[in-house]
Amino acid sequence: MFGQSIYNLYFPPVISVYMHVNSTLFILKNSFQKPFFFLLLLIFFTAFAKAQQASSIEKLVVYGYSKRFSDSAVCKKMQLQALELAKKKNNIDDQVICYAYLALTQRKLLHLKGFTRYADSAFSLSSKTNNIRAKAYASLAMGSLKSYIDDKSHAIDYLLTSYKLFAKVQAHDQCAKIASDISYLFSPGSPDKVEKYAREALFHASKAGDPESILYARLAFGGHLTDNLETWSQDEWRNAVLFFDETVALTERNSSNIISKSNIGIAYINLADLYSKGPKPIDEKSLLKNLEKATVIAQKYDVRIIYRSAIGLQGFYYTEKGDYAKAEGLFNEGIKYQKKLPYTDNYLLATFYNSLKNVAAKRKDFEAYHRYDTAFVKYNQLKYNESTQSLLQNADVRYESTKKIERIKQLELENELVQKNKLLGYGIAGVLLIGLVFMFRSYHYRQRYYQNREDFLKQEQANSELKMQLMEKETIENLAARLSMERRLLRSQMDPHFIFNALGNIQSMILQKETVPAVSYLNKFAKLTRQVLEQSRKETISLDEEINTLKNYIELQQLRLNNGFEYVIECDETVETDVLIPPLLIQPFIENAVEHGLKPQVKEIKGLIEIYFTQDFEERNLVCTIKDNGIGLAASRKLKLKDNHESLSTKITNERLNKMQQDNPNAGFEVRERDAHEGPGCIVILNIPILQ
């Protein structure tokens, strides 16, 4: 096992998940940078809350946030577009959420001013809404800001608030990540709370089911397991290794679905760390394998803290092993790689040069020691300057942020007091007014009550008797009219000519030994007869049943007319085919289209009947449009002058619709010629009331 004092210069016993890629915002114990947290809010296909759901604007800003690692420019552009949409719609809830995501994106870019501005905007605007999701995001952004500027106590308060709000709407993926970061914030001072929130993170991650949340929670729980690594027994060490082995296996199976690649590197580093602290002899193969995988992740995704930890651990391993050349090569490789990057990490360079000093001292190469020490002093001073500047900047931000929050709270209290005073004044005035009105009405009606009571009761009794007589008479008349209409409807549905022709066609097919079509024709005829008899006895039928009856009827008409026409039945995608409508309303119009429109048509023209259904949700009507390319109304009327036959079924249907207009004024139908550009034919528009 390596020397603890030198070893902990590079990484803690278990690296925490306080960072996104490129953010160098983690390391719990004895690390280079001060710990603060960055909350990952990936909400791809999240479970919607019971009370409040994610809006389309929230989904857009979340999708833009997912681009923060691959293309930060596109990420910010999409989030600003989402914010503009929210402002155009004047939607405060969505504006709060957009500001919160913009704040988290600025944190990833290490832009403290932008981070502060957007977090303050989200939190300030959230006071104007009661939306749970919006308030949760606002508290999340403010908690993230407080952790960034090392204000741990306030960070815990805001994150706990956000955690409880997200739990209310069952946003389990958010809860898993926030609980993990709360667990880190309580470490190492409150072991019980560290364990509590780490376990809650695992619970919410299992509910969310996405690999990102599961990995986040498992790393937090792993941090809890390794807090007291130095006092462990071998069995406890093996259990921790098993836990991190499972975590790494899960990560490798789902790496394509994990956006925060830094967490993958952390899993490898934590497992390698456990192997380095295991019983001797150390499992060198497993240690180096996990460090190599971590190095690949760090270089591929430019995760400096992972790279530093992986190179540092390997370097110290070879230093302790006595392979100074290998250790020196690794540290120089880390320096070379860092100097190729477009930015300078003085912290990292100072650490690597300090490590090279130690190697040179052990090799007794004093010339190299002096060279490395010169470089170390240079970068260590730069590191100190940056750290001092960061501390001052964070202190300023803490002061300004605290001042703004206190001002917001003060304004909220003042507004609340003003509202309470207004409500109190309105309440007192209302009570007085109601009391006066009540006293006046009580006095007035009490005077009239005793005078009119007897006359009122007598009149009420007489009216009740008259009403009962009228109701009995109306019920009897309605029942008689209904029975009469049903009898006429049943007689009208099956035209005698149609029945005679149908039976004649069946007889002709049988005589010509066309058994198969004859049986098919007979089955359709029997099915249609049964449907008409059954439906004529029902108050309502579904649209599906009506369409099936129409199909049987039209196909029989096709056989009767030697397939002289075609038909089309279509329903709009918004139509609910299980809606209930009065039975046998449409068939009479199909009969008229065939008998008076298509049948007289010249044989050279192929007939066509088109039936379309749409639904008027506002008026609760089913609109049936029937089109044919027959001879049209004018030509049909001329033929009717020679034929005195009156369409009984159409007349009865008109009576039925007129009766329905008592409950649904829109019920009825319209018959007209087709437009000139559509060609000859007729159009029927039938408004059928929906009874369901």
Side-chain angles (χ1 to χ4, degrees), residues 97 135 164 234 289 294 404 476 507 524 536 591 623 642 657:
I97 294 171
K135 286 186 172 294
K164 292 174 183 177
Q234 287 194 11
K289 180 181 72 174
K404 287 180 181 178
I476 294 171
Q507 181 182 22
K524 289 181 180 293
S536 63
E591 178 185 340
V623 182
K642 302 176 183 179
L657 290 169

Side-chain angles (χ1 to χ4, degrees), residues 253-464:
R253 287 196 304 270
N254 300 280
S255 61
S256 60
N257 296 322
I258 297 175
I259 302 297
S260 299
K261 304 301 182 183
S262 60
N263 288 351
I264 301 176
I266 292 170
Y268 290 128
I269 290 291
N270 287 347
L271 185 54
D273 179 34
L274 282 173
Y275 279 119
S276 73
K277 290 182 172 61
K280 293 184 179 180
I282 294 173
D283 187 347
E284 179 179 348
K285 182 178 179 181
S286 297
L287 169 67
L288 295 178
K289 180 181 72 174
N290 283 286
L291 289 177
E292 287 172 3
K293 290 182 178 180
T295 304
V296 170
I297 291 290
Q299 290 181 331
K300 183 175 181 180
Y301 298 103
D302 189 20
V303 188
R304 289 176 285 175
I305 192 69
I306 300 296
Y307 182 76
R308 178 177 68 208
S309 298
I311 293 295
L313 185 51
Q314 291 180 71
F316 277 112
Y317 172 75
Y318 285 113
T319 301
E320 293 295 318
K321 190 178 178 182
D323 191 347
Y324 302 126
K326 183 71 173 177
E328 187 175 20
L330 284 167
F331 293 135
N332 279 315
E333 178 188 341
I335 292 171
K336 184 178 179 181
Y337 172 76
Q338 174 58 38
K339 289 184 175 180
K340 286 182 179 179
L341 299 178
Y343 51 82
T344 300
D345 189 339
N346 297 315
Y347 207 105
L348 183 61
L349 291 172
T351 303
F352 279 143
Y353 277 117
N354 189 50
S355 301
L356 286 169
K357 279 173 53 181
N358 295 329
V359 173
K362 290 190 176 186
R363 297 178 68 177
K364 300 187 184 303
D365 186 348
F366 298 110
E367 182 180 350
Y369 182 91
H370 180 268
R371 185 171 65 253
Y372 294 142
D373 183 62
T374 302
F376 166 73
V377 170
K378 170 187 173 183
Y379 289 110
N380 192 54
Q381 183 61 44
L382 292 172
K383 177 194 74 173
Y384 176 78
N385 293 340
E386 288 180 354
S387 178
T388 302
Q389 184 179 1
S390 178
L391 288 173
L392 293 173
Q393 189 178 33
N394 289 347
D396 290 340
V397 172
R398 281 198 300 271
Y399 173 74
E400 292 296 331
S401 179
T402 302
K403 189 167 67 173
K404 287 180 181 178
I405 292 172
E406 291 301 324
R407 180 56 181 164
I408 290 171
K409 289 181 179 179
Q410 183 181 356
L411 290 174
E412 288 178 350
L413 289 174
E414 291 176 357
N415 290 334
E416 185 178 352
L417 182 60
V418 170
Q419 292 298 324
K420 284 182 178 179
N421 289 336
K422 285 184 178 179
L423 291 175
L424 181 61
Y426 294 150
I428 293 172
V431 169
L432 291 175
L433 180 61
I434 292 171
L436 290 173
V437 172
F438 177 78
M439 290 174 62
F440 173 78
R441 289 174 59 85
S442 176
Y443 174 79
H444 176 73
Y445 285 107
R446 185 177 292 275
Q447 295 297 320
R448 297 183 56 186
Y449 174 74
Y450 294 107
Q451 298 175 7
N452 299 331
R453 181 176 181 181
E454 187 175 353
D455 293 341
F456 174 77
L457 291 175
K458 289 181 180 179
Q459 184 65 39
E460 186 179 25
Q461 184 177 3
N463 290 342
S464 298

Side-chain angles (χ1 to χ4, degrees), residues 582-649:
L584 304 173
L585 280 175
I586 303 174
Q587 180 268 338
F589 297 97
I590 304 300
E591 178 185 340
N592 283 344
V594 173
E595 294 296 329
H596 305 298
L598 300 180
K599 188 176 177 182
Q601 183 67 282
V602 295
K603 294 182 179 180
E604 289 77 14
I605 298 176
K606 186 75 171 181
L608 175 63
I609 294 179
E610 300 170 80
I611 305 171
Y612 301 98
F613 292 97
T614 58
Q615 190 167 339
D616 188 343
F617 290 91
E618 185 176 350
E619 302 294 340
R620 291 197 57 77
N621 275 351
L622 182 70
V623 182
C624 176
T625 304
I626 305 169
K627 300 180 181 180
D628 66 70
N629 62 344
I631 62 175
L633 288 176
S636 177
R637 290 193 184 100
K638 290 181 182 179
L639 292 176
K640 283 186 178 180
L641 293 176
K642 302 176 183 179
D643 182 9
N644 293 325
H645 171 70
E646 182 181 3
S647 177
L648 179 61
S649 61

